[in-house]
């Protein structure tokens, strides 16, 4: 059944959704706004998870709670560095160029690009390559997005992480204006599904207080 769902998603991603009003890149260009958002998260064979995302000037905070086993973690992503709180006692830092997932794997999307996609923006540094297509290099990987107009929004995408021949596939639907209400991501890590509960622009996002914990001892 899981494999069937993946095939259905791939078929959906393969269908063009773009034709319609021409997109206006000026509507979605620029840095993502500062925001806090709450999502229902399905990932890593788990359901019933909640993801809180807070994006500010310094970086992006990710907090996951829920699941039958009480799965949860907190991470601060700043550029290509990921700092995670380990059992509330210390901090472990890694440089993956991606975002941590509850099962210990990583979503190979750069922090700024992730914030842009959640807020319905286009990451900086790209350009239109066709009437309904945008392309750019973000976080060392190439990202292509298919756009639709009225209002301009991204509806599906392909991300080739550095050194990878196979793209990570993205799809967005049920938009609120240009902010996606549902996002699906499919890649070697499996399938990740985000369903928006609340999206709130804010003036700023402070670093989480637990960043003051000591670094974990290296074994």
């Amino acid at each position: 059944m899981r494999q069937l769902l993946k095939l259905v998603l791939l078929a959906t991603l393969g269908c063009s959704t773009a034709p319609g009003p021409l997109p206006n890149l000026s509507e979605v260009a620029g840095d993502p706004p500062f925001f806090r958002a709450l999502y229902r998260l399905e990932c890593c064979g788990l359901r019933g998870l909640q993801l809180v995302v807070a994006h500010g000037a310094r970086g992006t905070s990710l907090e996951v709670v829920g699941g039958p086993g009480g799965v949860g973690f907190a991470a601060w992503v700043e550029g290509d560095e990921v700092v995670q709180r380990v059992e509330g006692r210390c901090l472990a830092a890694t440089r993956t160029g991606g975002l941590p997932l509850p099962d210990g794997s990583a979503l190979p999307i750069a922090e700024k690009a992730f914030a842009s996609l959640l807020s319905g923006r286009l990451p900086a540094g790209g350009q239109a390559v066709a009437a309904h297509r945008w392309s750019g290099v973000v976080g060392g990987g190439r990202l292509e997005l298919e756009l639709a107009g009225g209002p301009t929004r991204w509806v599906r995408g392909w991300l080739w992480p550095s050194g990878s021949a196979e793209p990570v596939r993205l799809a967005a639907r049920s938009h609120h204006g240009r902010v996606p209400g549902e996002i699906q991501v499919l890649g070697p890590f499996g399938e990740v599904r985000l369903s928006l509960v609340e999206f709130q622009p804010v003036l700023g996002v402070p670093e989480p207080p637990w960043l003051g914990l000591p670094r974990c001892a290296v074994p």
Side-chain angles (χ1 to χ4, degrees), residues 39-94:
Y39 294 88
R40 290 187 296 273
L41 169 65
E42 296 179 25
C43 165
C44 321
L46 298 171
R47 294 176 177 268
L49 301 179
Q50 289 190 323
L51 169 65
V52 180
V53 181
H55 173 69
R58 292 289 304 277
T60 300
S61 170
L62 306 172
E63 295 187 5
V64 174
V65 295
V71 173
F73 73 78
W76 174 257
V77 187
E78 187 172 342
D80 64 351
E81 182 179 61
V82 177
V83 179
Q84 287 187 257
R85 186 175 59 189
V86 180
E87 297 179 356
R89 298 179 292 103
C90 61
L91 304 178
T94 57

Tab-separated table of all heavy atoms in Angstrom, residues 39-94:
chain	number	residue	atom	x	y	z
A	39	TYR	N	2.098	23.047	11.565
A	39	TYR	CA	1.718	22.062	10.561
A	39	TYR	C	1.414	20.721	11.219
A	39	TYR	O	2.018	20.370	12.234
A	39	TYR	CB	2.865	21.838	9.555
A	39	TYR	CG	3.197	23.027	8.702
A	39	TYR	CD1	4.117	23.973	9.135
A	39	TYR	CD2	2.590	23.210	7.453
A	39	TYR	CE1	4.430	25.074	8.353
A	39	TYR	CE2	2.902	24.310	6.673
A	39	TYR	CZ	3.814	25.239	7.132
A	39	TYR	OH	4.117	26.327	6.346
A	40	ARG	N	0.519	19.976	10.595
A	40	ARG	CA	0.433	18.542	10.854
A	40	ARG	C	1.471	17.880	9.965
A	40	ARG	O	1.547	18.171	8.771
A	40	ARG	CB	-0.969	18.016	10.557
A	40	ARG	CG	-2.026	18.496	11.549
A	40	ARG	CD	-3.367	17.807	11.307
A	40	ARG	NE	-3.914	18.157	10.017
A	40	ARG	CZ	-4.678	19.226	9.775
A	40	ARG	NH1	-4.977	20.050	10.761
A	40	ARG	NH2	-5.143	19.475	8.561
A	41	LEU	N	2.264	17.003	10.557
A	41	LEU	CA	3.388	16.402	9.846
A	41	LEU	C	3.219	14.892	9.763
A	41	LEU	O	2.968	14.236	10.785
A	41	LEU	CB	4.692	16.740	10.575
A	41	LEU	CG	5.964	15.997	10.134
A	41	LEU	CD1	6.331	16.367	8.699
A	41	LEU	CD2	7.109	16.307	11.082
A	42	GLU	N	3.319	14.355	8.555
A	42	GLU	CA	3.395	12.904	8.342
A	42	GLU	C	4.755	12.607	7.749
A	42	GLU	O	5.131	13.154	6.715
A	42	GLU	CB	2.282	12.432	7.398
A	42	GLU	CG	0.878	12.638	7.957
A	42	GLU	CD	-0.194	12.177	6.994
A	42	GLU	OE1	0.106	11.293	6.156
A	42	GLU	OE2	-1.311	12.702	7.063
A	43	CYS	N	5.486	11.744	8.429
A	43	CYS	CA	6.862	11.513	8.020
A	43	CYS	C	7.396	10.255	8.665
A	43	CYS	O	7.010	9.920	9.783
A	43	CYS	CB	7.725	12.713	8.441
A	43	CYS	SG	9.495	12.413	8.382
A	44	CYS	N	8.291	9.603	7.959
A	44	CYS	CA	9.090	8.533	8.560
A	44	CYS	C	8.215	7.405	9.114
A	44	CYS	O	8.569	6.778	10.121
A	44	CYS	CB	9.976	9.094	9.668
A	44	CYS	SG	10.694	10.717	9.311
A	45	GLY	N	7.059	7.161	8.480
A	45	GLY	CA	6.153	6.127	8.945
A	45	GLY	C	5.339	6.532	10.148
A	45	GLY	O	4.654	5.689	10.741
A	46	LEU	N	5.360	7.813	10.535
A	46	LEU	CA	4.651	8.296	11.718
A	46	LEU	C	3.548	9.274	11.333
A	46	LEU	O	3.698	10.065	10.407
A	46	LEU	CB	5.622	8.988	12.682
A	46	LEU	CG	6.749	8.128	13.264
A	46	LEU	CD1	7.731	9.006	14.008
A	46	LEU	CD2	6.181	7.054	14.179
A	47	ARG	N	2.457	9.210	12.075
A	47	ARG	CA	1.359	10.168	11.927
A	47	ARG	C	1.109	10.827	13.276
A	47	ARG	O	1.665	10.427	14.290
A	47	ARG	CB	0.079	9.472	11.449
A	47	ARG	CG	0.175	8.906	10.034
A	47	ARG	CD	-1.088	8.141	9.673
A	47	ARG	NE	-1.052	7.641	8.312
A	47	ARG	CZ	-1.519	8.291	7.268
A	47	ARG	NH1	-2.077	9.478	7.434
A	47	ARG	NH2	-1.449	7.778	6.061
A	48	GLY	N	0.257	11.838	13.282
A	48	GLY	CA	-0.086	12.493	14.536
A	48	GLY	C	1.011	13.401	15.058
A	48	GLY	O	1.028	13.733	16.250
A	49	LEU	N	1.946	13.809	14.179
A	49	LEU	CA	3.004	14.724	14.591
A	49	LEU	C	2.592	16.162	14.316
A	49	LEU	O	1.823	16.445	13.393
A	49	LEU	CB	4.296	14.423	13.835
A	49	LEU	CG	4.894	13.023	13.970
A	49	LEU	CD1	6.153	12.910	13.120
A	49	LEU	CD2	5.196	12.694	15.419
A	50	GLN	N	3.116	17.071	15.114
A	50	GLN	CA	2.936	18.499	14.880
A	50	GLN	C	4.299	19.145	14.738
A	50	GLN	O	5.216	18.870	15.521
A	50	GLN	CB	2.160	19.155	16.024
A	50	GLN	CG	0.693	18.763	16.073
A	50	GLN	CD	-0.085	19.620	17.058
A	50	GLN	OE1	0.419	19.976	18.108
A	50	GLN	NE2	-1.314	19.950	16.704
A	51	LEU	N	4.432	20.006	13.738
A	51	LEU	CA	5.681	20.713	13.473
A	51	LEU	C	5.435	22.210	13.632
A	51	LEU	O	4.538	22.773	13.013
A	51	LEU	CB	6.174	20.417	12.056
A	51	LEU	CG	7.321	21.288	11.533
A	51	LEU	CD1	8.593	21.052	12.330
A	51	LEU	CD2	7.556	21.044	10.045
A	52	VAL	N	6.245	22.838	14.483
A	52	VAL	CA	6.221	24.291	14.646
A	52	VAL	C	7.462	24.844	13.977
A	52	VAL	O	8.587	24.449	14.308
A	52	VAL	CB	6.187	24.696	16.132
A	52	VAL	CG1	6.171	26.215	16.264
A	52	VAL	CG2	4.969	24.100	16.830
A	53	VAL	N	7.278	25.750	13.022
A	53	VAL	CA	8.374	26.390	12.306
A	53	VAL	C	8.365	27.871	12.653
A	53	VAL	O	7.314	28.523	12.588
A	53	VAL	CB	8.232	26.224	10.779
A	53	VAL	CG1	9.400	26.889	10.057
A	53	VAL	CG2	8.133	24.755	10.400
A	54	ALA	N	9.522	28.406	13.041
A	54	ALA	CA	9.662	29.836	13.307
A	54	ALA	C	10.878	30.338	12.551
A	54	ALA	O	12.008	29.910	12.824
A	54	ALA	CB	9.815	30.099	14.804
A	55	HIS	N	10.658	31.216	11.587
A	55	HIS	CA	11.753	31.719	10.741
A	55	HIS	C	12.003	33.180	11.055
A	55	HIS	O	11.083	34.008	11.040
A	55	HIS	CB	11.405	31.567	9.263
A	55	HIS	CG	12.413	32.222	8.365
A	55	HIS	ND1	13.692	31.733	8.214
A	55	HIS	CD2	12.336	33.337	7.593
A	55	HIS	CE1	14.361	32.514	7.374
A	55	HIS	NE2	13.562	33.482	6.985
A	56	GLY	N	13.271	33.498	11.358
A	56	GLY	CA	13.650	34.869	11.665
A	56	GLY	C	14.915	35.280	10.943
A	56	GLY	O	15.385	34.598	10.023
A	57	ALA	N	15.504	36.399	11.381
A	57	ALA	CA	16.663	36.954	10.700
A	57	ALA	C	17.888	36.065	10.833
A	57	ALA	O	18.709	35.981	9.916
A	57	ALA	CB	16.955	38.352	11.252
A	58	ARG	N	18.056	35.393	11.978
A	58	ARG	CA	19.260	34.602	12.218
A	58	ARG	C	19.155	33.173	11.710
A	58	ARG	O	20.162	32.537	11.384
A	58	ARG	CB	19.563	34.585	13.725
A	58	ARG	CG	19.996	35.919	14.297
A	58	ARG	CD	21.393	36.293	13.820
A	58	ARG	NE	22.366	35.249	14.140
A	58	ARG	CZ	22.972	35.124	15.313
A	58	ARG	NH1	22.685	35.991	16.283
A	58	ARG	NH2	23.847	34.165	15.525
A	59	GLY	N	17.943	32.606	11.697
A	59	GLY	CA	17.797	31.213	11.299
A	59	GLY	C	16.359	30.748	11.447
A	59	GLY	O	15.434	31.558	11.551
A	60	THR	N	16.193	29.414	11.477
A	60	THR	CA	14.862	28.815	11.525
A	60	THR	C	14.814	27.776	12.635
A	60	THR	O	15.684	26.905	12.723
A	60	THR	CB	14.510	28.154	10.180
A	60	THR	OG1	14.546	29.141	9.148
A	60	THR	CG2	13.117	27.533	10.225
A	61	SER	N	13.785	27.874	13.471
A	61	SER	CA	13.565	26.922	14.555
A	61	SER	C	12.552	25.875	14.114
A	61	SER	O	11.524	26.203	13.507
A	61	SER	CB	13.050	27.655	15.800
A	61	SER	OG	12.622	26.744	16.788
A	62	LEU	N	12.849	24.588	14.404
A	62	LEU	CA	11.956	23.477	14.098
A	62	LEU	C	11.698	22.706	15.384
A	62	LEU	O	12.637	22.302	16.067
A	62	LEU	CB	12.580	22.539	13.061
A	62	LEU	CG	13.059	23.150	11.743
A	62	LEU	CD1	13.820	22.105	10.935
A	62	LEU	CD2	11.894	23.694	10.947
A	63	GLU	N	10.430	22.488	15.711
A	63	GLU	CA	10.074	21.690	16.878
A	63	GLU	C	8.995	20.689	16.470
A	63	GLU	O	7.971	21.067	15.893
A	63	GLU	CB	9.576	22.561	18.028
A	63	GLU	CG	10.645	23.489	18.598
A	63	GLU	CD	10.181	24.223	19.844
A	63	GLU	OE1	9.058	23.928	20.313
A	63	GLU	OE2	10.922	25.090	20.336
A	64	VAL	N	9.229	19.417	16.760
A	64	VAL	CA	8.288	18.352	16.422
A	64	VAL	C	7.842	17.675	17.716
A	64	VAL	O	8.669	17.326	18.562
A	64	VAL	CB	8.925	17.304	15.490
A	64	VAL	CG1	7.978	16.134	15.268
A	64	VAL	CG2	9.294	17.939	14.154
A	65	VAL	N	6.529	17.501	17.863
A	65	VAL	CA	5.989	16.798	19.030
A	65	VAL	C	4.883	15.873	18.562
A	65	VAL	O	4.292	16.057	17.493
A	65	VAL	CB	5.428	17.780	20.085
A	65	VAL	CG1	6.533	18.638	20.659
A	65	VAL	CG2	4.326	18.659	19.474
A	66	GLY	N	4.593	14.846	19.387
A	66	GLY	CA	3.465	13.962	19.113
A	66	GLY	C	3.889	12.586	18.687
A	66	GLY	O	5.039	12.187	18.844
A	67	GLY	N	2.932	11.850	18.134
A	67	GLY	CA	3.198	10.480	17.714
A	67	GLY	C	2.958	9.505	18.845
A	67	GLY	O	2.961	9.865	20.028
A	68	PRO	N	2.741	8.233	18.530
A	68	PRO	CA	2.435	7.234	19.554
A	68	PRO	C	3.560	7.034	20.560
A	68	PRO	O	3.324	6.658	21.699
A	68	PRO	CB	2.196	5.954	18.737
A	68	PRO	CG	2.889	6.190	17.437
A	68	PRO	CD	2.763	7.656	17.177
A	69	GLY	N	4.788	7.295	20.148
A	69	GLY	CA	5.911	7.126	21.075
A	69	GLY	C	6.375	8.427	21.687
A	69	GLY	O	7.445	8.483	22.293
A	70	GLY	N	5.574	9.476	21.539
A	70	GLY	CA	5.979	10.764	22.068
A	70	GLY	C	7.182	11.341	21.344
A	70	GLY	O	8.027	12.004	21.945
A	71	VAL	N	7.274	11.059	20.033
A	71	VAL	CA	8.406	11.522	19.250
A	71	VAL	C	8.492	13.046	19.325
A	71	VAL	O	7.494	13.749	19.240
A	71	VAL	CB	8.265	11.088	17.777
A	71	VAL	CG1	9.366	11.722	16.928
A	71	VAL	CG2	8.328	9.581	17.675
A	72	GLY	N	9.703	13.542	19.516
A	72	GLY	CA	9.866	14.982	19.553
A	72	GLY	C	11.323	15.370	19.451
A	72	GLY	O	12.202	14.638	19.885
A	73	PHE	N	11.558	16.512	18.854
A	73	PHE	CA	12.907	17.057	18.855
A	73	PHE	C	12.821	18.558	18.620
A	73	PHE	O	11.796	19.081	18.174
A	73	PHE	CB	13.814	16.385	17.818
A	73	PHE	CG	13.535	16.743	16.383
A	73	PHE	CD1	13.966	17.952	15.845
A	73	PHE	CD2	12.870	15.867	15.561
A	73	PHE	CE1	13.725	18.281	14.514
A	73	PHE	CE2	12.625	16.181	14.232
A	73	PHE	CZ	13.043	17.383	13.720
A	74	ALA	N	13.906	19.243	18.940
A	74	ALA	CA	14.016	20.674	18.698
A	74	ALA	C	15.322	20.923	17.978
A	74	ALA	O	16.365	20.369	18.358
A	74	ALA	CB	13.963	21.446	20.017
A	75	ALA	N	15.281	21.740	16.947
A	75	ALA	CA	16.479	22.037	16.169
A	75	ALA	C	16.472	23.501	15.768
A	75	ALA	O	15.419	24.101	15.538
A	75	ALA	CB	16.561	21.143	14.929
A	76	TRP	N	17.686	24.059	15.695
A	76	TRP	CA	17.882	25.413	15.194
A	76	TRP	C	18.768	25.309	13.961
A	76	TRP	O	19.857	24.734	14.021
A	76	TRP	CB	18.537	26.289	16.253
A	76	TRP	CG	18.907	27.664	15.792
A	76	TRP	CD1	20.149	28.112	15.462
A	76	TRP	CD2	18.028	28.778	15.615
A	76	TRP	NE1	20.110	29.439	15.095
A	76	TRP	CE2	18.815	29.875	15.176
A	76	TRP	CE3	16.649	28.960	15.781
A	76	TRP	CZ2	18.255	31.126	14.908
A	76	TRP	CZ3	16.101	30.201	15.500
A	76	TRP	CH2	16.903	31.269	15.081
A	77	VAL	N	18.290	25.828	12.823
A	77	VAL	CA	19.015	25.718	11.561
A	77	VAL	C	19.426	27.122	11.135
A	77	VAL	O	18.582	28.002	10.955
A	77	VAL	CB	18.156	25.059	10.462
A	77	VAL	CG1	19.000	24.804	9.222
A	77	VAL	CG2	17.531	23.767	10.966
A	78	GLU	N	20.734	27.317	10.994
A	78	GLU	CA	21.273	28.609	10.597
A	78	GLU	C	22.246	28.381	9.453
A	78	GLU	O	23.350	27.869	9.645
A	78	GLU	CB	21.981	29.268	11.774
A	78	GLU	CG	22.427	30.695	11.513
A	78	GLU	CD	22.962	31.381	12.758
A	78	GLU	OE1	22.695	30.907	13.872
A	78	GLU	OE2	23.662	32.402	12.586
A	79	GLY	N	21.793	28.692	8.231
A	79	GLY	CA	22.617	28.395	7.071
A	79	GLY	C	22.729	26.892	6.894
A	79	GLY	O	21.726	26.184	6.811
A	80	ASP	N	23.974	26.364	6.856
A	80	ASP	CA	24.151	24.923	6.696
A	80	ASP	C	24.432	24.218	8.017
A	80	ASP	O	24.742	23.023	8.030
A	80	ASP	CB	25.276	24.625	5.696
A	80	ASP	CG	26.635	25.114	6.192
A	80	ASP	OD1	26.692	25.823	7.213
A	80	ASP	OD2	27.650	24.786	5.551
A	81	GLU	N	24.320	24.931	9.144
A	81	GLU	CA	24.548	24.306	10.448
A	81	GLU	C	23.222	23.975	11.123
A	81	GLU	O	22.311	24.808	11.172
A	81	GLU	CB	25.374	25.208	11.373
A	81	GLU	CG	25.661	24.533	12.713
A	81	GLU	CD	26.489	25.377	13.660
A	81	GLU	OE1	26.016	26.475	14.022
A	81	GLU	OE2	27.592	24.948	14.040
A	82	VAL	N	23.127	22.756	11.631
A	82	VAL	CA	21.945	22.302	12.380
A	82	VAL	C	22.383	22.016	13.812
A	82	VAL	O	23.295	21.225	14.047
A	82	VAL	CB	21.341	21.026	11.753
A	82	VAL	CG1	20.160	20.534	12.592
A	82	VAL	CG2	20.896	21.292	10.322
A	83	VAL	N	21.723	22.676	14.768
A	83	VAL	CA	21.988	22.441	16.183
A	83	VAL	C	20.745	21.802	16.786
A	83	VAL	O	19.653	22.371	16.713
A	83	VAL	CB	22.322	23.752	16.925
A	83	VAL	CG1	22.577	23.472	18.410
A	83	VAL	CG2	23.530	24.433	16.298
A	84	GLN	N	20.898	20.610	17.370
A	84	GLN	CA	19.781	19.900	17.973
A	84	GLN	C	19.965	19.734	19.471
A	84	GLN	O	21.083	19.518	19.956
A	84	GLN	CB	19.618	18.513	17.330
A	84	GLN	CG	19.037	18.571	15.922
A	84	GLN	CD	18.724	17.191	15.395
A	84	GLN	OE1	19.467	16.648	14.577
A	84	GLN	NE2	17.636	16.614	15.854
A	85	ARG	N	18.862	19.838	20.191
A	85	ARG	CA	18.877	19.616	21.641
A	85	ARG	C	18.805	18.115	21.895
A	85	ARG	O	17.921	17.429	21.385
A	85	ARG	CB	17.682	20.324	22.275
A	85	ARG	CG	17.654	20.283	23.789
A	85	ARG	CD	16.498	21.114	24.308
A	85	ARG	NE	15.206	20.640	23.809
A	85	ARG	CZ	14.066	21.298	23.968
A	85	ARG	NH1	14.066	22.479	24.563
A	85	ARG	NH2	12.943	20.802	23.505
A	86	VAL	N	19.735	17.596	22.665
A	86	VAL	CA	19.821	16.164	22.950
A	86	VAL	C	19.350	15.903	24.375
A	86	VAL	O	20.027	16.264	25.342
A	86	VAL	CB	21.263	15.643	22.765
A	86	VAL	CG1	21.332	14.148	23.074
A	86	VAL	CG2	21.741	15.916	21.346
A	87	GLU	N	18.160	15.310	24.489
A	87	GLU	CA	17.581	14.926	25.782
A	87	GLU	C	17.559	16.080	26.774
A	87	GLU	O	17.652	15.882	27.998
A	87	GLU	CB	18.359	13.745	26.380
A	87	GLU	CG	18.280	12.486	25.526
A	87	GLU	CD	19.062	11.330	26.107
A	87	GLU	OE1	19.744	11.543	27.153
A	87	GLU	OE2	19.005	10.233	25.541
A	88	GLY	N	17.455	17.307	26.259
A	88	GLY	CA	17.363	18.461	27.133
A	88	GLY	C	18.622	18.762	27.912
A	88	GLY	O	18.627	19.631	28.792
A	89	ARG	N	19.758	18.085	27.596
A	89	ARG	CA	20.968	18.229	28.409
A	89	ARG	C	22.085	18.976	27.689
A	89	ARG	O	22.860	19.695	28.308
A	89	ARG	CB	21.494	16.848	28.812
A	89	ARG	CG	20.560	16.033	29.665
A	89	ARG	CD	21.172	14.687	29.993
A	89	ARG	NE	21.291	13.837	28.811
A	89	ARG	CZ	22.427	13.622	28.161
A	89	ARG	NH1	23.541	14.206	28.553
A	89	ARG	NH2	22.457	12.827	27.099
A	90	CYS	N	22.195	18.770	26.375
A	90	CYS	CA	23.321	19.347	25.643
A	90	CYS	C	22.939	19.517	24.183
A	90	CYS	O	21.853	19.104	23.762
A	90	CYS	CB	24.566	18.465	25.789
A	90	CYS	SG	24.356	16.775	25.148
A	91	LEU	N	23.844	20.104	23.417
A	91	LEU	CA	23.584	20.412	22.015
A	91	LEU	C	24.536	19.639	21.109
A	91	LEU	O	25.726	19.527	21.391
A	91	LEU	CB	23.761	21.911	21.756
A	91	LEU	CG	22.941	22.866	22.615
A	91	LEU	CD1	23.282	24.305	22.256
A	91	LEU	CD2	21.454	22.610	22.471
A	92	ALA	N	23.983	19.120	20.020
A	92	ALA	CA	24.787	18.442	18.996
A	92	ALA	C	24.669	19.248	17.716
A	92	ALA	O	23.556	19.557	17.263
A	92	ALA	CB	24.296	17.016	18.778
A	93	ALA	N	25.796	19.604	17.133
A	93	ALA	CA	25.819	20.415	15.914
A	93	ALA	C	26.351	19.608	14.750
A	93	ALA	O	27.324	18.860	14.889
A	93	ALA	CB	26.670	21.659	16.127
A	94	THR	N	25.707	19.749	13.602
A	94	THR	CA	26.152	19.098	12.382
A	94	THR	C	26.033	20.086	11.223
A	94	THR	O	25.326	21.093	11.317
A	94	THR	CB	25.310	17.850	12.056
A	94	THR	OG1	23.917	18.241	11.960
A	94	THR	CG2	25.454	16.792	13.129
